[in-house]
DNA sequence: AGTGTATCCTGCAGGC
DNA sequence: TGCCTGCAGGATACAC
């Protein structure tokens, strides 16, 4: 998916448009993206007013007042687009839901692979789910000491650890690879074997790469778009992700791709030694 | 506790 | 041109 920087970019885009607008219903073309029937989803959305747009991990949160919160997880190919009254009404392909808005404009959800999810939860139910997610990597609560302590408790490979949303929320395959490269840590390393300086570097690497990617409006590989439909520019700044066989930006060694956990990891074998 | 596998679904690049 | 395979930003459920 869209990882934290992409979701954050979409949320910022929607935040300037949606609060104050209301839904005027919803058209559902692909009900398999919902966890309930189209009819009940439509009934619950009804004419609700959007009071706030937020983010938790990779989830987009639209606060609706009475029905609770609309939680959108984009999966790998989901797009959430705002179409203003004066905008070019070109519809995206793979349109799954459209939400006409009052007084004007509309919100569109498109998703070619349809592994995204849209759910309406009560604030209480959402609070329970949110508690199950790990801390926000950019949040103040996550200190280097807490981060190191959490790593100490796990034997999992550090890359698996970073991708586990229950441990830290918002990191996906791209930024896990980039953060590990910046910290000089091999993705196979067991979490608990990271030294305090290494875990400090890793947390710094995570924060730097996420902030830089947010500044660039995220990474567009193929499907990701901002809420206004533009592409993110961070792809050109990627140092190892998707760069198999290309030179490491630091030492020029060929970037390697290894597969584990059913997905590709990218690393520089020199800058990220397996052991010292 | 952790890990490998399968599942949801479609699209596209590359090999032949 | 067309067919086939592998691969893709995610999340979850299961067996071992």
């Amino acid at each position: 998916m869209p990882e934290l920087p992409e979701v954050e970019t979409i949320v910022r885009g929607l935040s300037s448009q949606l609060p104050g607008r209301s839904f005027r219903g919803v058209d559902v073309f692909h009900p398999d993206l919902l966890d309930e029937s189209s009819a009940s989803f439509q009934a619950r959305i009804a004419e609700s007013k959007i009071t706030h747009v937020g983010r938790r991990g990779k989830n987009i949160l639209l606060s609706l007042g009475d029905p609770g919160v609309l939680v959108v997880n984009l999966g790998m190919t989901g797009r959430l687009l705002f179409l203003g009254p004066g905008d070019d009404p070109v519809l995206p392909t793979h349109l799954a839901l459209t939400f006409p808005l009052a007084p004007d404009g509309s919100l569109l959800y498109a998703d070619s692979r349809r592994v995204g999810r849209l759910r309406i939860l009560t604030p209480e139910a959402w609070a329970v789910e949110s508690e199950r997610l790990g801390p926000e990597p950019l949040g103040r609560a996550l200190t280097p000491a807490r981060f190191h302590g959490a790593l100490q408790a796990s034997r999992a490979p550090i890359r698996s650890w970073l991708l586990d949303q229950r441990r830290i929320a918002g990191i996906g395959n791209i930024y896990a690879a980039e953060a590990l490269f910046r910290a000089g840590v091999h993705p196979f390393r067991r979490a608990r074997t990271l030294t305090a300086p290494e875990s400090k570097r890793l947390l710094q690497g995570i924060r730097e790469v996420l902030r830089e990617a947010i500044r660039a409006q995220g990474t567009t590989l193929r499907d990701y778009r901002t809420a206004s439909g533009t592409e993110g520019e961070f792809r050109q700044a990627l140092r190892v992700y998707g760069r198999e066989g290309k030179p490491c930006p630091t030492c020029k060694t060929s970037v390697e791709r290894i597969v584990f956990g059913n997905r590709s990891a990218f690393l520089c074998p020199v800058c990220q030694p397996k052991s010292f």
Side-chain angles (χ1 to χ4, degrees), chain A residues 127-177:
Chain A
V128 170
E129 288 223 3
S130 183
E131 292 245 334
R132 283 203 277 260
L133 295 174
E136 287 289 326
L138 297 177
R140 204 169 293 182
L142 186 60
T143 61
R146 277 193 59 188
F147 183 65
H148 188 234
L151 294 181
Q152 290 290 304
S154 169
R155 275 186 297 271
I158 185 63
R159 172 166 169 278
S160 307
W161 196 97
L162 291 173
L163 293 180
D164 187 340
Q165 302 301 300
R166 295 167 301 187
R167 293 174 153 144
I168 189 166
I171 298 173
N173 210 19
I174 295 177
Y175 299 107

Side-chain angles (χ1 to χ4, degrees), chain A residues 23 25-26 28 33-48 60-73 97 99 117-127 129:
Chain A
F23 289 116
V26 47
V28 182
L33 293 161
L34 309 176
D35 64 347
E36 60 187 313
S37 72
S38 301
S40 100
F41 185 81
Q42 285 162 335
R44 293 210 291 153
I45 280 275
E47 316 270 292
S48 53
I60 298 165
L61 310 172
L62 303 191
S63 301
L64 303 183
D66 201 32
V69 52
L70 175 61
V71 182
V72 182
N73 187 298
L97 296 94
F99 302 83
R117 286 288 171 271
L118 293 90
R119 299 176 300 154
I120 303 169
L121 300 180
T122 64
E124 296 74 28
W126 167 245
E129 288 223 3

